Amino acid sequence: MQKLVIASSNSGKLREIGQLLQPLGIEVLPQSAFNVTESEEPYCTFIENALVKARHASRCTGLPALADDSGICVSALNGKPGILSARYAGEPRSDERNNQKLVDVLTDEADRKAHYYCVIVLLRHPDDPQPLIADGSWHGEIVLRPRGAGGFGYDPYFFLPDLGKTAAELPAEQKNRISHRGKALARLVERISEETL
C-alpha cells in the first residue's frame, strides 16, 4: 500500500493522521484531492459511519481508504454529543457554537466526566470483506472556560486531570501520542505492519 485516501475534509484530522502514518512511507491524500464529496453519516454508531465513509472514498478513487469517526461522549448526557459532535449546535458546523452549547448544557451539572472516542477503518478496496478496524478512548472532563490554543473541536474544554491541562494546551506530538485518535492509529499501524510481514 503506497497511497491512501483519507475520507475527511477536516484539516485537523488530516494533519494528525498524516503525521501518525508518515513513518510507514504511505502517501496520504485527502479525498478533496479527488473531488470526492463528503459521505452521508446515517448511522447511530461510530463504526458504521466510519465504514460507510471509507467505502465511499475508496469507491470514488479506486484507492485504499481510511476513515475515522470520532466524537466526544459526556457521561451526564448519556454519551451525547457522540456521533453528532461535529454538528451538535446544528449546521453550518461551528466549533465555537458546539462548545458553547456543551458548556450551556453542563453549567449546572456536577458530573462533567467525558471521553473522546475514535474508531478507524481501513479498506483495501471498496468491497473489502475484512477491513482493518482499530479504536481508542481518551478520558477527561469538561471545563466551563476554554484553555489553550492548540487542537480543534472540543479540545480547549477537554481537561485531563492527570496532566492538569486541556487537550488544547498540549504540544501536538504529545497529543498525537495519547489521544483517542493517536491510540486508534497506533493500533491500526500495528495491524498494517502485521499484514506486511
Side-chain angles (χ1 to χ4, degrees):
M1 197 182 327
Q2 295 177 328
K3 286 187 180 181
L4 184 66
V5 62
I6 305 292
S8 177
S9 302
N10 181 309
S11 60
K13 280 186 186 181
L14 292 168
R15 186 171 52 254
E16 284 185 14
I17 292 170
Q19 288 170 349
L20 288 159
L21 291 181
Q22 190 176 15
L24 290 179
I26 298 172
E27 185 181 357
V28 174
L29 303 163
Q31 66 181 13
S32 59
F34 302 92
N35 297 315
V36 175
T37 57
E38 282 196 17
S39 168
E40 293 292 318
E41 297 178 44
Y43 300 106
C44 62
T45 65
F46 292 105
I47 181 67
E48 290 171 297
N49 286 327
L51 275 165
V52 77
K53 289 191 285 188
R55 190 165 287 121
H56 174 72
S58 184
R59 187 162 282 130
C60 291
T61 63
L63 291 171
L66 182 149
D68 93 311
D69 201 36
S70 54
I72 195 163
C73 303
V74 179
S75 300
L77 305 179
N78 294 319
K80 292 180 181 175
I83 59 158
L84 298 176
S85 293
R87 300 175 180 86
Y88 189 45
E91 296 285 357
R93 298 177 196 185
S94 164
D95 286 351
E96 187 177 331
R97 288 189 303 108
N98 289 339
N99 281 311
Q100 189 58 56
K101 180 176 179 178
L102 186 61
V103 166
D104 290 346
V105 170
L106 293 176
T107 296
D108 297 322
E109 185 62 57
D111 177 10
R112 296 196 190 113
K113 288 193 291 294
H115 68 275
Y116 273 121
Y117 178 75
C118 173
V119 62
I120 295 178
V121 171
L122 174 61
L123 292 175
R124 299 162 197 85
H125 55 83
D127 300 314
D128 189 346
Q130 192 179 351
L132 297 179
I133 300 171
D135 69 348
S137 296
W138 195 21
H139 294 266
E141 59 192 53
I142 302 300
V143 291
L144 301 180
R145 288 192 170 77
R147 290 172 42 181
F152 62 97
Y154 297 90
D155 287 354
Y157 295 86
F158 185 68
F159 182 71
L160 305 155
D162 55 331
L163 297 176
K165 295 180 178 182
T166 66
E169 293 177 294
L170 299 178
E173 274 185 26
Q174 184 181 15
K175 181 190 173 192
N176 286 349
R177 207 171 45 250
I178 65 174
S179 75
H180 55 309
R181 189 170 296 108
K183 291 173 186 173
L185 274 167
R187 290 173 184 147
L188 185 72
V189 166
E190 284 178 24
R191 302 279 315 275
I192 294 170
S193 299
E194 287 168 6
E195 283 218 333
T196 57
L197 289 177

